[in-house]
Amino acid sequence: MKAIVVTDQAAGTAGMKLVERPEPQAAINDVVVQVHASGFTWDELTWPPTWTDRLGRDRTPSIPGHELAGVVTALGYGTTGLSVGQRVFGLTDWYRDGTLAEYMAMEARNLAPLPGDVDFMVGASLPMPGLTAWQGLFEHGRLQAGQSVLAHGAAGVVGSMVTQLAREAGAYVIGTGRAADRQKVLDFGANEFVDLETNALEDVSPVDLVFDVFGGDIAKRSASLIRAGGTLVTIAGPTEARPADGLAVDFVVVSDRAQLSEIVQRVRDGRLRTNIGNVSALEGAVATFNATERRAGKTIIRVRP
Ligand SMILES: NC(=O)c1ccc[n+]([C@@H]2O[C@H](COP(=O)([O-])OP(=O)(O)OC[C@H]3O[C@@H](n4cnc5c(N)ncnc54)[C@H](OP(=O)(O)O)[C@@H]3O)[C@@H](O)[C@H]2O)c1
């Protein structure tokens, strides 16, 4: 099969190569999926699991990509809940070969059925941002209707999902981003927009929940905006930022079949809009990853035209 591999961490995306690899086998509880579309996250080549196994041993040449939509072609021993020929989408294990390939093996529990009326490219664009937004808002942030959310990077892949899901849940949403993205953020449903390039974060009214995607100084300054009993949720890694009287949670998204189904149902009935950016074929993927123009939205690789 054709697959994109990485071997050289220092080279970043420029070191990615399209090669021939053996097709994967389904282990216990696995399925093999023929990948139709794959999602790629810009900084995943900086994540240790792209390069090593769980014991920290080099696992290159490894195949990146953690989101996919495709069709099940084989079941491993003991695999239940999915069948051969079924359309699926989901989020893969961080430490196994990923979705920038024509076939991939993964645990069935990390996939959900993809309804027949949802395009594979849309399916591949949902798992990471959809699950991250869902888990940050509702599991870690315990968001309730009537509360307020500061959604950082609200024109971005995760932030646009955070904005839409929070609004649907009955929250008041203040979205942040670059000045040029004001209308985009409002179109995703934010009640207000804060331009981080010129507006002072300190002028924002207190909120119940900050959903941080940046870390660093912005996370710290945002923590002081949180009302008593509120929560700072960050996906940018461990942070020292803490609300004076509230919770700080940093987390890494996990796959969840029930949540994937909730998310895709919202796309089907028009409550949730995905945020797709560049689209390319597997053959052109490395060039797309290395393009120098601004890369707004989720990058999708159409593995099977
Ligand atoms: N922990 C987890 O489970 C988890 C899950 C998913 C993602 N992540 C991480 O979360 C981060 C965000 O991911 P994403 O896919 O949503 O990225 P993204 O699509 O690039 O979104 C970030 C948004 O914030 C904007 N932005 C960046 N720096 C800014 C600044 N200084 N001022 C104002 N706006 C700024 C970006 O604009 P430009 O495009 O113009 O820069 C973009 O609109 C990444 O680091 C990703 O790895 C973590």
mmCIF file of all heavy atoms in Angstrom, residues 41-44 47 94 128-129 132 152-160 176-179 181 184 194-197 212-214 218 234-237 250-254 275 294-298, ligand 1:
data_model
loop_
_atom_site.group_PDB
_atom_site.id
_atom_site.type_symbol
_atom_site.label_atom_id
_atom_site.label_comp_id
_atom_site.label_asym_id
_atom_site.label_seq_id
_atom_site.Cartn_x
_atom_site.Cartn_y
_atom_site.Cartn_z
ATOM 1 N N THR A 41 -2.882 17.017 11.787
ATOM 2 C CA THR A 41 -2.750 18.171 12.697
ATOM 3 C C THR A 41 -1.322 18.702 12.573
ATOM 4 O O THR A 41 -0.369 17.931 12.599
ATOM 5 C CB THR A 41 -3.045 17.747 14.151
ATOM 6 O OG1 THR A 41 -4.382 17.246 14.192
ATOM 7 C CG2 THR A 41 -2.913 18.899 15.126
ATOM 8 N N TRP A 42 -1.211 20.045 12.446
ATOM 9 C CA TRP A 42 0.068 20.647 12.059
ATOM 10 C C TRP A 42 1.220 20.305 12.967
ATOM 11 O O TRP A 42 2.334 20.096 12.515
ATOM 12 C CB TRP A 42 -0.103 22.166 11.927
ATOM 13 C CG TRP A 42 -0.851 22.413 10.681
ATOM 14 C CD1 TRP A 42 -2.186 22.693 10.576
ATOM 15 C CD2 TRP A 42 -0.370 22.266 9.357
ATOM 16 N NE1 TRP A 42 -2.548 22.744 9.258
ATOM 17 C CE2 TRP A 42 -1.449 22.494 8.490
ATOM 18 C CE3 TRP A 42 0.870 21.973 8.807
ATOM 19 C CZ2 TRP A 42 -1.334 22.431 7.111
ATOM 20 C CZ3 TRP A 42 0.990 21.915 7.428
ATOM 21 C CH2 TRP A 42 -0.094 22.143 6.602
ATOM 22 N N ASP A 43 0.965 20.259 14.267
ATOM 23 C CA ASP A 43 2.130 20.075 15.134
ATOM 24 C C ASP A 43 2.311 18.634 15.589
ATOM 25 O O ASP A 43 3.069 18.376 16.512
ATOM 26 C CB ASP A 43 2.088 21.043 16.322
ATOM 27 C CG ASP A 43 0.774 21.029 17.056
ATOM 28 O OD1 ASP A 43 -0.150 20.344 16.606
ATOM 29 O OD2 ASP A 43 0.682 21.721 18.090
ATOM 30 N N GLU A 44 1.685 17.671 14.921
ATOM 31 C CA GLU A 44 1.828 16.308 15.440
ATOM 32 C C GLU A 44 3.241 15.744 15.279
ATOM 33 O O GLU A 44 3.612 14.811 15.977
ATOM 34 C CB GLU A 44 0.767 15.343 14.893
ATOM 35 C CG GLU A 44 0.815 15.011 13.443
ATOM 36 C CD GLU A 44 -0.328 14.044 13.076
ATOM 37 O OE1 GLU A 44 -1.484 14.468 12.952
ATOM 38 O OE2 GLU A 44 -0.032 12.859 12.913
ATOM 39 N N TRP A 47 5.026 15.780 18.529
ATOM 40 C CA TRP A 47 4.529 14.947 19.630
ATOM 41 C C TRP A 47 5.406 13.696 19.751
ATOM 42 O O TRP A 47 5.610 12.976 18.744
ATOM 43 C CB TRP A 47 3.090 14.520 19.388
ATOM 44 C CG TRP A 47 2.114 15.643 19.160
ATOM 45 C CD1 TRP A 47 2.289 16.973 19.435
ATOM 46 C CD2 TRP A 47 0.803 15.524 18.587
ATOM 47 N NE1 TRP A 47 1.166 17.687 19.078
ATOM 48 C CE2 TRP A 47 0.239 16.824 18.555
ATOM 49 C CE3 TRP A 47 0.044 14.448 18.103
ATOM 50 C CZ2 TRP A 47 -1.030 17.073 18.058
ATOM 51 C CZ3 TRP A 47 -1.225 14.702 17.614
ATOM 52 C CH2 TRP A 47 -1.753 15.999 17.594
ATOM 53 N N TRP A 94 -2.302 7.089 19.616
ATOM 54 C CA TRP A 94 -1.169 7.990 19.326
ATOM 55 C C TRP A 94 0.089 7.209 18.951
ATOM 56 O O TRP A 94 0.967 7.737 18.268
ATOM 57 C CB TRP A 94 -0.845 8.867 20.543
ATOM 58 C CG TRP A 94 -2.031 9.590 21.087
ATOM 59 C CD1 TRP A 94 -2.574 9.428 22.328
ATOM 60 C CD2 TRP A 94 -2.844 10.566 20.437
ATOM 61 N NE1 TRP A 94 -3.669 10.246 22.475
ATOM 62 C CE2 TRP A 94 -3.859 10.941 21.341
ATOM 63 C CE3 TRP A 94 -2.815 11.143 19.167
ATOM 64 C CZ2 TRP A 94 -4.829 11.885 21.016
ATOM 65 C CZ3 TRP A 94 -3.787 12.078 18.856
ATOM 66 C CH2 TRP A 94 -4.771 12.434 19.766
ATOM 67 N N MET A 128 -10.792 14.713 15.959
ATOM 68 C CA MET A 128 -9.945 15.419 16.946
ATOM 69 C C MET A 128 -10.612 16.708 17.440
ATOM 70 O O MET A 128 -10.786 16.892 18.653
ATOM 71 C CB MET A 128 -8.566 15.704 16.348
ATOM 72 C CG MET A 128 -7.645 16.383 17.311
ATOM 73 S SD MET A 128 -6.275 15.381 17.811
ATOM 74 C CE MET A 128 -5.406 15.113 16.306
ATOM 75 N N PRO A 129 -11.012 17.620 16.556
ATOM 76 C CA PRO A 129 -11.620 18.856 17.083
ATOM 77 C C PRO A 129 -12.956 18.613 17.767
ATOM 78 O O PRO A 129 -13.244 19.247 18.794
ATOM 79 C CB PRO A 129 -11.791 19.737 15.838
ATOM 80 C CG PRO A 129 -11.728 18.821 14.681
ATOM 81 C CD PRO A 129 -10.856 17.675 15.095
ATOM 82 N N THR A 132 -12.312 16.852 21.169
ATOM 83 C CA THR A 132 -11.586 17.745 22.079
ATOM 84 C C THR A 132 -12.527 18.815 22.633
ATOM 85 O O THR A 132 -12.548 19.097 23.841
ATOM 86 C CB THR A 132 -10.403 18.413 21.343
ATOM 87 O OG1 THR A 132 -9.566 17.390 20.807
ATOM 88 C CG2 THR A 132 -9.594 19.300 22.258
ATOM 89 N N HIS A 152 -10.749 30.469 23.084
ATOM 90 C CA HIS A 152 -9.569 30.995 22.393
ATOM 91 C C HIS A 152 -9.401 30.333 21.022
ATOM 92 O O HIS A 152 -9.777 29.168 20.828
ATOM 93 C CB HIS A 152 -8.309 30.751 23.230
ATOM 94 C CG HIS A 152 -8.112 31.775 24.304
ATOM 95 N ND1 HIS A 152 -8.161 33.126 24.063
ATOM 96 C CD2 HIS A 152 -7.867 31.641 25.637
ATOM 97 C CE1 HIS A 152 -7.952 33.784 25.189
ATOM 98 N NE2 HIS A 152 -7.770 32.903 26.157
ATOM 99 N N GLY A 153 -8.826 31.107 20.094
ATOM 100 C CA GLY A 153 -8.576 30.579 18.745
ATOM 101 C C GLY A 153 -9.857 30.111 18.081
ATOM 102 O O GLY A 153 -9.903 29.056 17.448
ATOM 103 N N ALA A 154 -10.905 30.919 18.207
ATOM 104 C CA ALA A 154 -12.250 30.463 17.845
ATOM 105 C C ALA A 154 -12.467 30.304 16.338
ATOM 106 O O ALA A 154 -13.475 29.734 15.925
ATOM 107 C CB ALA A 154 -13.293 31.406 18.439
ATOM 108 N N ALA A 155 -11.543 30.806 15.517
ATOM 109 C CA ALA A 155 -11.655 30.548 14.071
ATOM 110 C C ALA A 155 -10.908 29.279 13.705
ATOM 111 O O ALA A 155 -10.979 28.805 12.569
ATOM 112 C CB ALA A 155 -11.069 31.712 13.278
ATOM 113 N N GLY A 156 -10.180 28.712 14.671
ATOM 114 C CA GLY A 156 -9.336 27.553 14.403
ATOM 115 C C GLY A 156 -10.120 26.258 14.386
ATOM 116 O O GLY A 156 -11.349 26.242 14.536
ATOM 117 N N VAL A 157 -9.389 25.178 14.217
ATOM 118 C CA VAL A 157 -10.017 23.866 14.043
ATOM 119 C C VAL A 157 -10.757 23.460 15.318
ATOM 120 O O VAL A 157 -11.937 23.111 15.287
ATOM 121 C CB VAL A 157 -8.934 22.833 13.643
ATOM 122 C CG1 VAL A 157 -9.523 21.445 13.590
ATOM 123 C CG2 VAL A 157 -8.327 23.205 12.292
ATOM 124 N N VAL A 158 -10.078 23.524 16.453
ATOM 125 C CA VAL A 158 -10.731 23.153 17.712
ATOM 126 C C VAL A 158 -11.669 24.274 18.165
ATOM 127 O O VAL A 158 -12.826 24.032 18.537
ATOM 128 C CB VAL A 158 -9.684 22.851 18.810
ATOM 129 C CG1 VAL A 158 -10.371 22.581 20.152
ATOM 130 C CG2 VAL A 158 -8.809 21.659 18.412
ATOM 131 N N GLY A 159 -11.186 25.522 18.116
ATOM 132 C CA GLY A 159 -11.955 26.645 18.642
ATOM 133 C C GLY A 159 -13.303 26.825 17.957
ATOM 134 O O GLY A 159 -14.284 27.237 18.599
ATOM 135 N N SER A 160 -13.380 26.521 16.665
ATOM 136 C CA SER A 160 -14.670 26.684 15.965
ATOM 137 C C SER A 160 -15.679 25.643 16.446
ATOM 138 O O SER A 160 -16.882 25.910 16.509
ATOM 139 C CB SER A 160 -14.478 26.613 14.447
ATOM 140 O OG SER A 160 -13.859 25.405 14.066
ATOM 141 N N THR A 176 -12.044 34.386 20.655
ATOM 142 C CA THR A 176 -10.853 35.217 20.411
ATOM 143 C C THR A 176 -10.139 34.751 19.145
ATOM 144 O O THR A 176 -10.357 33.648 18.665
ATOM 145 C CB THR A 176 -9.833 35.159 21.574
ATOM 146 O OG1 THR A 176 -9.080 33.935 21.477
ATOM 147 C CG2 THR A 176 -10.502 35.251 22.932
ATOM 148 N N GLY A 177 -9.251 35.635 18.652
ATOM 149 C CA GLY A 177 -8.456 35.262 17.480
ATOM 150 C C GLY A 177 -7.778 36.470 16.894
ATOM 151 O O GLY A 177 -7.635 37.503 17.566
ATOM 152 N N ARG A 178 -7.373 36.334 15.644
ATOM 153 C CA ARG A 178 -6.725 37.443 14.943
ATOM 154 C C ARG A 178 -7.795 38.351 14.351
ATOM 155 O O ARG A 178 -8.888 37.879 14.002
ATOM 156 C CB ARG A 178 -5.837 36.909 13.819
ATOM 157 C CG ARG A 178 -4.728 35.999 14.332
ATOM 158 C CD ARG A 178 -3.724 35.711 13.250
ATOM 159 N NE ARG A 178 -2.850 34.601 13.631
ATOM 160 C CZ ARG A 178 -1.784 34.719 14.425
ATOM 161 N NH1 ARG A 178 -1.468 35.883 14.954
ATOM 162 N NH2 ARG A 178 -1.032 33.663 14.703
ATOM 163 N N ALA A 179 -7.436 39.640 14.189
ATOM 164 C CA ALA A 179 -8.410 40.632 13.708
ATOM 165 C C ALA A 179 -9.113 40.155 12.440
ATOM 166 O O ALA A 179 -10.332 40.291 12.296
ATOM 167 C CB ALA A 179 -7.697 41.954 13.454
ATOM 168 N N ASP A 181 -10.050 37.416 11.507
ATOM 169 C CA ASP A 181 -10.997 36.302 11.685
ATOM 170 C C ASP A 181 -12.274 36.694 12.421
ATOM 171 O O ASP A 181 -13.073 35.831 12.778
ATOM 172 C CB ASP A 181 -10.299 35.146 12.424
ATOM 173 C CG ASP A 181 -9.364 34.387 11.507
ATOM 174 O OD1 ASP A 181 -9.639 34.330 10.294
ATOM 175 O OD2 ASP A 181 -8.356 33.841 11.998
ATOM 176 N N LYS A 184 -15.486 35.432 10.773
ATOM 177 C CA LYS A 184 -15.515 33.963 10.787
ATOM 178 C C LYS A 184 -15.962 33.460 12.173
ATOM 179 O O LYS A 184 -16.787 32.558 12.295
ATOM 180 C CB LYS A 184 -14.107 33.450 10.459
ATOM 181 C CG LYS A 184 -14.027 32.002 10.112
ATOM 182 C CD LYS A 184 -12.641 31.693 9.552
ATOM 183 C CE LYS A 184 -12.470 30.227 9.291
ATOM 184 N NZ LYS A 184 -11.111 29.882 8.882
ATOM 185 N N VAL A 194 -13.076 38.946 20.480
ATOM 186 C CA VAL A 194 -11.959 39.706 21.040
ATOM 187 C C VAL A 194 -10.744 39.469 20.148
ATOM 188 O O VAL A 194 -10.317 38.322 19.952
ATOM 189 C CB VAL A 194 -11.649 39.260 22.491
ATOM 190 C CG1 VAL A 194 -10.387 39.932 23.004
ATOM 191 C CG2 VAL A 194 -12.829 39.570 23.396
ATOM 192 N N ASP A 195 -10.238 40.565 19.587
ATOM 193 C CA ASP A 195 -9.070 40.518 18.715
ATOM 194 C C ASP A 195 -7.824 40.546 19.610
ATOM 195 O O ASP A 195 -7.518 41.575 20.217
ATOM 196 C CB ASP A 195 -9.164 41.731 17.783
ATOM 197 C CG ASP A 195 -7.853 42.107 17.148
ATOM 198 O OD1 ASP A 195 -6.897 41.328 17.247
ATOM 199 O OD2 ASP A 195 -7.800 43.202 16.557
ATOM 200 N N LEU A 196 -7.156 39.411 19.697
ATOM 201 C CA LEU A 196 -6.020 39.309 20.633
ATOM 202 C C LEU A 196 -4.840 40.171 20.196
ATOM 203 O O LEU A 196 -3.931 40.411 20.983
ATOM 204 C CB LEU A 196 -5.567 37.850 20.765
ATOM 205 C CG LEU A 196 -6.503 36.916 21.529
ATOM 206 C CD1 LEU A 196 -5.941 35.497 21.546
ATOM 207 C CD2 LEU A 196 -6.727 37.394 22.959
ATOM 208 N N GLU A 197 -4.862 40.615 18.928
ATOM 209 C CA GLU A 197 -3.740 41.426 18.462
ATOM 210 C C GLU A 197 -3.850 42.880 18.946
ATOM 211 O O GLU A 197 -2.837 43.558 19.100
ATOM 212 C CB GLU A 197 -3.655 41.373 16.935
ATOM 213 C CG GLU A 197 -3.275 39.980 16.451
ATOM 214 C CD GLU A 197 -3.435 39.789 14.945
ATOM 215 O OE1 GLU A 197 -4.435 40.256 14.371
ATOM 216 O OE2 GLU A 197 -2.557 39.161 14.347
ATOM 217 N N ASP A 212 -8.723 27.074 26.555
ATOM 218 C CA ASP A 212 -7.451 27.599 26.056
ATOM 219 C C ASP A 212 -6.823 26.641 25.051
ATOM 220 O O ASP A 212 -6.760 25.430 25.297
ATOM 221 C CB ASP A 212 -6.490 27.808 27.240
ATOM 222 C CG ASP A 212 -5.091 28.099 26.755
ATOM 223 O OD1 ASP A 212 -4.934 29.047 25.959
ATOM 224 O OD2 ASP A 212 -4.171 27.363 27.135
ATOM 225 N N VAL A 213 -6.347 27.179 23.924
ATOM 226 C CA VAL A 213 -5.637 26.351 22.935
ATOM 227 C C VAL A 213 -4.203 26.841 22.741
ATOM 228 O O VAL A 213 -3.483 26.299 21.903
ATOM 229 C CB VAL A 213 -6.371 26.339 21.563
ATOM 230 C CG1 VAL A 213 -7.785 25.844 21.696
ATOM 231 C CG2 VAL A 213 -6.356 27.709 20.898
ATOM 232 N N PHE A 214 -3.788 27.873 23.520
ATOM 233 C CA PHE A 214 -2.474 28.493 23.305
ATOM 234 C C PHE A 214 -1.446 28.174 24.385
ATOM 235 O O PHE A 214 -0.259 28.083 24.111
ATOM 236 C CB PHE A 214 -2.612 30.027 23.254
ATOM 237 C CG PHE A 214 -3.504 30.543 22.174
ATOM 238 C CD1 PHE A 214 -4.484 31.495 22.457
ATOM 239 C CD2 PHE A 214 -3.361 30.116 20.866
ATOM 240 C CE1 PHE A 214 -5.297 31.996 21.456
ATOM 241 C CE2 PHE A 214 -4.174 30.610 19.854
ATOM 242 C CZ PHE A 214 -5.159 31.548 20.154
ATOM 243 N N ILE A 218 -1.007 33.736 27.414
ATOM 244 C CA ILE A 218 -2.454 33.943 27.199
ATOM 245 C C ILE A 218 -3.244 33.093 28.203
ATOM 246 O O ILE A 218 -4.229 33.551 28.782
ATOM 247 C CB ILE A 218 -2.848 33.630 25.733
ATOM 248 C CG1 ILE A 218 -2.207 34.662 24.805
ATOM 249 C CG2 ILE A 218 -4.371 33.631 25.562
ATOM 250 C CD1 ILE A 218 -2.522 34.509 23.333
ATOM 251 N N THR A 234 -7.278 23.602 29.334
ATOM 252 C CA THR A 234 -6.295 23.855 28.283
ATOM 253 C C THR A 234 -5.920 22.563 27.570
ATOM 254 O O THR A 234 -5.870 21.494 28.176
ATOM 255 C CB THR A 234 -5.027 24.560 28.814
ATOM 256 O OG1 THR A 234 -4.173 24.835 27.700
ATOM 257 C CG2 THR A 234 -4.277 23.724 29.823
ATOM 258 N N ILE A 235 -5.678 22.717 26.259
ATOM 259 C CA ILE A 235 -5.241 21.558 25.449
ATOM 260 C C ILE A 235 -3.820 21.784 24.952
ATOM 261 O O ILE A 235 -3.344 21.059 24.099
ATOM 262 C CB ILE A 235 -6.200 21.302 24.266
ATOM 263 C CG1 ILE A 235 -6.290 22.525 23.336
ATOM 264 C CG2 ILE A 235 -7.569 20.904 24.783
ATOM 265 C CD1 ILE A 235 -7.001 22.228 22.017
ATOM 266 N N ALA A 236 -3.161 22.815 25.496
ATOM 267 C CA ALA A 236 -1.829 23.166 25.001
ATOM 268 C C ALA A 236 -0.716 22.587 25.866
ATOM 269 O O ALA A 236 0.427 23.018 25.784
ATOM 270 C CB ALA A 236 -1.704 24.686 24.923
ATOM 271 N N GLY A 237 -1.034 21.635 26.722
ATOM 272 C CA GLY A 237 -0.018 21.011 27.568
ATOM 273 C C GLY A 237 -0.062 21.587 28.970
ATOM 274 O O GLY A 237 -0.783 22.549 29.231
ATOM 275 N N ASP A 250 -5.638 20.334 32.320
ATOM 276 C CA ASP A 250 -5.091 20.140 30.971
ATOM 277 C C ASP A 250 -5.316 18.683 30.622
ATOM 278 O O ASP A 250 -5.215 17.807 31.480
ATOM 279 C CB ASP A 250 -3.623 20.565 30.893
ATOM 280 C CG ASP A 250 -2.663 19.538 31.401
ATOM 281 O OD1 ASP A 250 -2.271 18.657 30.629
ATOM 282 O OD2 ASP A 250 -2.319 19.618 32.606
ATOM 283 N N PHE A 251 -5.694 18.448 29.399
ATOM 284 C CA PHE A 251 -6.053 17.079 29.037
ATOM 285 C C PHE A 251 -5.671 16.790 27.593
ATOM 286 O O PHE A 251 -5.437 17.707 26.800
ATOM 287 C CB PHE A 251 -7.562 16.833 29.250
ATOM 288 C CG PHE A 251 -8.443 17.424 28.181
ATOM 289 C CD1 PHE A 251 -8.961 16.630 27.157
ATOM 290 C CD2 PHE A 251 -8.751 18.774 28.168
ATOM 291 C CE1 PHE A 251 -9.772 17.164 26.169
ATOM 292 C CE2 PHE A 251 -9.557 19.318 27.184
ATOM 293 C CZ PHE A 251 -10.066 18.521 26.187
ATOM 294 N N VAL A 252 -5.593 15.493 27.295
ATOM 295 C CA VAL A 252 -5.377 15.026 25.924
ATOM 296 C C VAL A 252 -6.629 14.258 25.522
ATOM 297 O O VAL A 252 -7.127 13.416 26.279
ATOM 298 C CB VAL A 252 -4.128 14.124 25.833
ATOM 299 C CG1 VAL A 252 -3.992 13.546 24.429
ATOM 300 C CG2 VAL A 252 -2.881 14.920 26.199
ATOM 301 N N VAL A 253 -7.141 14.568 24.345
ATOM 302 C CA VAL A 253 -8.381 13.980 23.864
ATOM 303 C C VAL A 253 -8.256 12.450 23.744
ATOM 304 O O VAL A 253 -7.186 11.933 23.442
ATOM 305 C CB VAL A 253 -8.751 14.617 22.502
ATOM 306 C CG1 VAL A 253 -7.670 14.355 21.459
ATOM 307 C CG2 VAL A 253 -10.099 14.143 22.002
ATOM 308 N N VAL A 254 -9.361 11.772 24.014
ATOM 309 C CA VAL A 254 -9.422 10.319 23.801
ATOM 310 C C VAL A 254 -10.597 10.027 22.870
ATOM 311 O O VAL A 254 -11.544 10.812 22.787
ATOM 312 C CB VAL A 254 -9.622 9.534 25.118
ATOM 313 C CG1 VAL A 254 -8.395 9.641 25.995
ATOM 314 C CG2 VAL A 254 -10.854 10.010 25.870
ATOM 315 N N ASN A 275 -14.835 22.546 9.823
ATOM 316 C CA ASN A 275 -13.949 23.644 9.435
ATOM 317 C C ASN A 275 -12.793 23.063 8.621
ATOM 318 O O ASN A 275 -11.689 22.897 9.123
ATOM 319 C CB ASN A 275 -13.458 24.329 10.732
ATOM 320 C CG ASN A 275 -12.669 25.585 10.488
ATOM 321 O OD1 ASN A 275 -12.413 25.976 9.358
ATOM 322 N ND2 ASN A 275 -12.262 26.222 11.580
ATOM 323 N N ARG A 294 -1.037 30.796 4.553
ATOM 324 C CA ARG A 294 -1.762 30.585 5.804
ATOM 325 C C ARG A 294 -2.654 29.357 5.677
ATOM 326 O O ARG A 294 -3.351 29.195 4.678
ATOM 327 C CB ARG A 294 -2.601 31.834 6.111
ATOM 328 C CG ARG A 294 -3.127 31.822 7.521
ATOM 329 C CD ARG A 294 -3.912 33.089 7.828
ATOM 330 N NE ARG A 294 -4.440 32.973 9.172
ATOM 331 C CZ ARG A 294 -5.673 33.299 9.517
ATOM 332 N NH1 ARG A 294 -6.505 33.788 8.618
ATOM 333 N NH2 ARG A 294 -6.066 33.152 10.747
ATOM 334 N N ARG A 295 -2.639 28.532 6.697
ATOM 335 C CA ARG A 295 -3.349 27.252 6.592
ATOM 336 C C ARG A 295 -4.531 27.204 7.561
ATOM 337 O O ARG A 295 -4.466 26.530 8.581
ATOM 338 C CB ARG A 295 -2.385 26.104 6.846
ATOM 339 C CG ARG A 295 -1.539 26.378 8.057
ATOM 340 C CD ARG A 295 -0.576 25.280 8.385
ATOM 341 N NE ARG A 295 -0.093 25.501 9.719
ATOM 342 C CZ ARG A 295 1.165 25.455 10.083
ATOM 343 N NH1 ARG A 295 2.099 25.169 9.213
ATOM 344 N NH2 ARG A 295 1.502 25.657 11.337
ATOM 345 N N ALA A 296 -5.560 27.953 7.241
ATOM 346 C CA ALA A 296 -6.718 27.983 8.135
ATOM 347 C C ALA A 296 -7.574 26.748 7.909
ATOM 348 O O ALA A 296 -7.808 26.347 6.773
ATOM 349 C CB ALA A 296 -7.522 29.237 7.877
ATOM 350 N N GLY A 297 -8.047 26.137 8.983
ATOM 351 C CA GLY A 297 -8.955 24.993 8.893
ATOM 352 C C GLY A 297 -8.217 23.661 8.886
ATOM 353 O O GLY A 297 -6.994 23.596 8.786
ATOM 354 N N LYS A 298 -8.989 22.599 9.007
ATOM 355 C CA LYS A 298 -8.441 21.238 9.110
ATOM 356 C C LYS A 298 -7.891 20.783 7.765
ATOM 357 O O LYS A 298 -8.574 20.890 6.749
ATOM 358 C CB LYS A 298 -9.578 20.290 9.528
ATOM 359 C CG LYS A 298 -9.138 18.875 9.778
ATOM 360 C CD LYS A 298 -8.676 18.732 11.193
ATOM 361 C CE LYS A 298 -7.742 17.567 11.362
ATOM 362 N NZ LYS A 298 -7.083 17.616 12.669
HETATM 363 N N1 LIG B 1 -4.627 18.243 24.050
HETATM 364 C C1 LIG B 1 -5.348 17.790 23.043
HETATM 365 O O1 LIG B 1 -6.020 16.778 23.170
HETATM 366 C C2 LIG B 1 -5.377 18.534 21.739
HETATM 367 C C3 LIG B 1 -6.330 18.178 20.776
HETATM 368 C C4 LIG B 1 -6.384 18.907 19.594
HETATM 369 C C5 LIG B 1 -5.481 19.953 19.375
HETATM 370 N N2 LIG B 1 -4.554 20.236 20.321
HETATM 371 C C6 LIG B 1 -3.621 21.384 20.149
HETATM 372 O O2 LIG B 1 -4.393 22.575 20.230
HETATM 373 C C7 LIG B 1 -3.769 23.592 19.458
HETATM 374 C C8 LIG B 1 -4.801 24.236 18.544
HETATM 375 O O3 LIG B 1 -5.138 23.314 17.525
HETATM 376 P P1 LIG B 1 -6.024 23.732 16.280
HETATM 377 O O4 LIG B 1 -6.016 22.569 15.367
HETATM 378 O O5 LIG B 1 -7.320 24.288 16.727
HETATM 379 O O6 LIG B 1 -5.122 24.927 15.663
HETATM 380 P P2 LIG B 1 -5.559 26.079 14.661
HETATM 381 O O7 LIG B 1 -6.608 25.581 13.714
HETATM 382 O O8 LIG B 1 -4.302 26.654 14.098
HETATM 383 O O9 LIG B 1 -6.293 27.161 15.612
HETATM 384 C C9 LIG B 1 -5.651 28.142 16.336
HETATM 385 C C10 LIG B 1 -6.323 29.487 15.999
HETATM 386 O O10 LIG B 1 -5.798 30.494 16.830
HETATM 387 C C11 LIG B 1 -5.230 31.522 16.011
HETATM 388 N N3 LIG B 1 -4.069 32.083 16.682
HETATM 389 C C12 LIG B 1 -2.861 31.496 16.866
HETATM 390 N N4 LIG B 1 -2.056 32.305 17.558
HETATM 391 C C13 LIG B 1 -2.762 33.443 17.806
HETATM 392 C C14 LIG B 1 -2.469 34.657 18.465
HETATM 393 N N5 LIG B 1 -1.272 34.895 19.030
HETATM 394 N N6 LIG B 1 -3.425 35.604 18.536
HETATM 395 C C15 LIG B 1 -4.641 35.396 17.984
HETATM 396 N N7 LIG B 1 -4.967 34.266 17.336
HETATM 397 C C16 LIG B 1 -4.039 33.296 17.245
HETATM 398 C C17 LIG B 1 -4.863 30.836 14.723
HETATM 399 O O11 LIG B 1 -4.725 31.760 13.685
HETATM 400 P P3 LIG B 1 -3.580 31.514 12.556
HETATM 401 O O12 LIG B 1 -4.057 30.320 11.767
HETATM 402 O O13 LIG B 1 -3.568 32.783 11.778
HETATM 403 O O14 LIG B 1 -2.292 31.252 13.312
HETATM 404 C C18 LIG B 1 -6.067 29.910 14.559
HETATM 405 O O15 LIG B 1 -7.186 30.600 14.054
HETATM 406 C C19 LIG B 1 -2.617 22.913 18.725
HETATM 407 O O16 LIG B 1 -1.432 23.156 19.438
HETATM 408 C C20 LIG B 1 -2.973 21.435 18.783
HETATM 409 O O17 LIG B 1 -1.867 20.583 18.730
HETATM 410 C C21 LIG B 1 -4.474 19.549 21.506
#
